[in-house]
Amino acid sequence: MKTYLVGGAIRDELLGLPVKERDWVVVGSTPEEMLRAGYRQVGKDFPVFIHPANGEEYALARTERKTAKGHRGFTFNTDSAVTLEEDLYRRDLTINAIARDESGRLFDPHGGRSDIEARVLRHVSGAFIEDPLRVLRVARFAAQLRSFGFTVADETLSLMTTIANSGELLDLSAERVWGETRKSLQGPSPRTYFEVLRDCGALAVLFPEVNQLFGVPQRADYHPEVDTGLHTLMALDAATHITEDAAVRYAVLVHDLGKGITPEDILPRHIGHENTGVPLTQVVSKRLKVPTRYARLAEVVTRYHLLSHKLDTLRPGTTLKLLKSLKAFSANDMVEPFLHACEADARGRLGFEDIPYPLKAWLLGLVEHLKTLSTTELMAEGFTGKQLGEEIDRRRLQMIAEYKKTHNVTQKVGA
């Protein structure tokens, strides 16, 4: 029995990145032998074992054969005769198909080190095309390694396009699609993930509502970049610099979906796109089974982002309605992430990437001011039940009106 460190740990070491987790492959062993050695077996599809001391995963070397559609349509062979070379051959990218033995010697039969030096994401073999999930994985790696200058090899992108055209992406579970998307939204360059998916045709399959934004014009006076899809990518870039919150980044991704269905006869205007976009946002969130917090934030950003750009001109009643929609006075407060998304929208425009967004501080200050209103004191004054709620609203409206008089900020952002 021989063990080898494989995959991401080797790749990250060669790139000078910290290794977050280590995976091992075991050659020349059997499940029975692993159990006798004290390993704990997990996984149903193929034998994976947890080391009794370090808790890391050790998988038996395996080969695989495609037997049905989708990323689950494989049978695995984990016979003790399977070699390290055979195991590495089934991996997705050359940079993930490098192993190191216990003496420190590297095994790199597919040129992974050369591709790391050349900053290229390249498939290991023609078997790449058998697993549709690899389209999303390559896009995620491209996003994860964008700062190093990695690009997808032309021949690999061609195979990804073939997969996208085959219809097999539709066989991926929502959990798998969202899992790769969430990781990319949490990473350093979410924009790259969606660009790669678009380049190979996968965006049109998995995110048709987002893909439909490309080529849709906007008013050049507000959006010098004109193209709505490009604006979405630029806003996503801005969100990446503003916050690490993946929920905000997701909200930015879908905030303008309504522009994709604007009637051609009124273009480049997008009257009411914030309202027409809400059902589309809900459809995407439901299809991907995104977490509730992501879905709720995406919906309020879609519905109210235009209001954020003119906060200090709103009537007190409209402002209070917005704050209630954002749960500003509850434990599920969405005010700050909402404002992060709206700031990204404002900055996601050609020539406006570095503009200040004072309206964010303005609204946050207003919320803090409104929170000084004491419900306990109102109850001590005798207000209860429905009357208490009405009095809270009355006094909040008064406080908003006073705040607007003493805190004047004007910023024209547009749609």
Side-chain angles (χ1 to χ4, degrees), residues 40-246:
R40 177 170 54 87
Q41 184 172 350
V42 296
K44 298 178 181 179
D45 294 333
F46 50 85
V48 177
F49 300 85
I50 303 300
H51 192 285
N54 61 30
E56 294 175 342
E57 289 190 356
Y58 287 67
L60 293 182
R62 69 182 188 270
T63 59
E64 57 190 33
R65 182 169 61 90
K66 190 171 181 65
T67 57
K69 285 186 174 183
H71 66 281
R72 295 192 182 97
F74 293 88
T75 57
F76 301 97
N77 171 30
T78 58
D79 188 272
S80 60
V82 176
T83 66
L84 174 65
E85 289 73 16
E86 288 174 319
D87 182 271
L88 295 177
Y89 182 80
R90 67 169 179 79
R91 296 178 182 268
D92 51 7
L93 298 173
T94 61
I95 65 171
N96 297 329
I98 308 172
R100 188 178 68 203
D101 66 15
E102 294 173 335
S103 67
R105 184 172 54 157
L106 288 179
F107 295 82
D108 181 22
H110 304 291
R113 283 179 292 179
S114 295
D115 282 341
I116 286 176
E117 292 174 2
R119 301 304 197 243
V120 174
L121 299 174
R122 192 190 316 276
H123 62 284
V124 170
S125 72
F128 176 93
I129 204 171
E130 295 179 349
D131 186 354
L133 184 62
R134 288 177 170 175
V135 171
L136 294 172
R137 281 177 55 82
V138 172
R140 174 166 62 83
F141 281 122
Q144 179 181 332
L145 300 174
R146 180 67 184 87
S147 63
F148 287 89
F150 274 84
T151 57
V152 182
D154 290 342
E155 58 270 29
T156 302
L157 190 65
S158 178
L159 290 183
M160 293 165 65
T161 302
T162 299
I163 295 173
N165 291 337
S166 73
E168 283 209 54
L169 289 174
L170 295 174
D171 294 319
L172 294 174
S173 67
E175 291 80 7
R176 286 286 190 171
V177 175
W178 175 247
E180 296 297 326
T181 301
R182 177 183 55 78
K183 291 176 184 177
S184 299
L185 288 170
Q186 292 172 330
S189 184
R191 171 179 180 164
T192 302
Y193 174 76
F194 295 100
E195 285 180 321
V196 171
L197 292 182
R198 183 166 183 259
D199 288 343
C200 70
L203 192 69
V205 178
L206 298 174
F207 300 89
E209 299 87 355
V210 176
N211 189 70
Q212 192 168 341
L213 298 176
F214 291 90
V216 176
Q218 303 167 106
R219 286 178 54 179
D221 50 342
Y222 288 134
H223 287 277
E225 74 285 351
V226 181
D227 188 279
T228 305
L230 178 56
H231 162 61
T232 298
L233 294 179
M234 294 179 69
L236 193 54
D237 254 350
T240 304
H241 291 102
I242 292 169
T243 177
E244 294 182 354
D245 188 347

Side-chain angles (χ1 to χ4, degrees), residues 359-372:
L359 291 170
K360 179 160 68 174
W362 187 92
L363 190 63
L364 290 173
L366 173 60
V367 171
E368 290 306 308
H369 177 56
L370 293 175
K371 286 181 178 179
T372 63

Side-chain angles (χ1 to χ4, degrees), residues 176-412:
R176 286 286 190 171
V177 175
W178 175 247
E180 296 297 326
T181 301
R182 177 183 55 78
K183 291 176 184 177
S184 299
L185 288 170
Q186 292 172 330
S189 184
R191 171 179 180 164
T192 302
Y193 174 76
F194 295 100
E195 285 180 321
V196 171
L197 292 182
R198 183 166 183 259
D199 288 343
C200 70
L203 192 69
V205 178
L206 298 174
F207 300 89
E209 299 87 355
V210 176
N211 189 70
Q212 192 168 341
L213 298 176
F214 291 90
V216 176
Q218 303 167 106
R219 286 178 54 179
D221 50 342
Y222 288 134
H223 287 277
E225 74 285 351
V226 181
D227 188 279
T228 305
L230 178 56
H231 162 61
T232 298
L233 294 179
M234 294 179 69
L236 193 54
D237 254 350
T240 304
H241 291 102
I242 292 169
T243 177
E244 294 182 354
D245 188 347
V248 172
R249 299 175 182 186
Y250 172 70
V252 170
L253 174 72
V254 300
H255 81 284
D256 263 351
L257 294 186
K259 291 182 178 179
I261 58 173
T262 297
E264 289 189 12
D265 61 334
I266 68 169
L267 291 174
R269 296 177 301 159
H270 293 277
I271 301 170
H273 75 276
E274 66 277 19
N275 294 320
T276 59
V278 170
L280 295 174
T281 298
Q282 293 170 334
V283 166
V284 175
S285 296
K286 183 177 180 179
R287 185 175 68 242
L288 296 179
K289 297 183 180 179
V290 306
T292 300
R293 176 174 176 267
Y294 285 66
R296 287 177 177 171
L297 181 62
E299 183 175 336
V300 295
V301 169
T302 300
R303 190 185 300 276
Y304 297 117
H305 65 276
L306 292 188
L307 293 184
S308 175
H309 302 327
K310 51 185 178 182
L311 282 169
D312 64 330
T313 67
L314 301 179
R315 294 178 179 178
T318 305
T319 302
L320 183 58
K321 178 183 177 182
L322 172 63
L323 292 177
K324 286 184 175 181
S325 297
L326 297 176
K327 310 293 184 184
F329 310 109
S330 74
N332 298 318
D333 176 9
M334 293 184 284
V335 174
E336 188 168 36
F338 168 79
L339 288 169
H340 285 329
C342 294
E343 180 181 8
D345 178 38
R347 290 184 174 179
R349 300 177 296 153
L350 189 63
F352 292 86
E353 293 87 350
D354 299 315
I355 62 166
Y357 197 70
L359 291 170
K360 179 160 68 174
W362 187 92
L363 190 63
L364 290 173
L366 173 60
V367 171
E368 290 306 308
H369 177 56
L370 293 175
K371 286 181 178 179
T372 63
L373 180 63
S374 172
T375 303
T376 302
E377 292 180 2
L378 292 179
M379 293 174 67
E381 293 178 23
F383 292 101
T384 59
K386 181 180 179 181
Q387 287 185 331
L388 176 61
E390 292 173 346
E391 183 63 16
I392 289 174
D393 281 351
R394 189 188 71 78
R395 297 203 186 188
R396 281 175 176 167
L397 289 171
Q398 184 180 9
M399 293 172 73
I400 293 171
E402 293 171 351
Y403 186 87
K404 284 171 60 66
K405 291 179 181 179
T406 56
H407 298 75
N408 183 33
V409 178
T410 301
Q411 179 174 338
K412 185 179 181 181

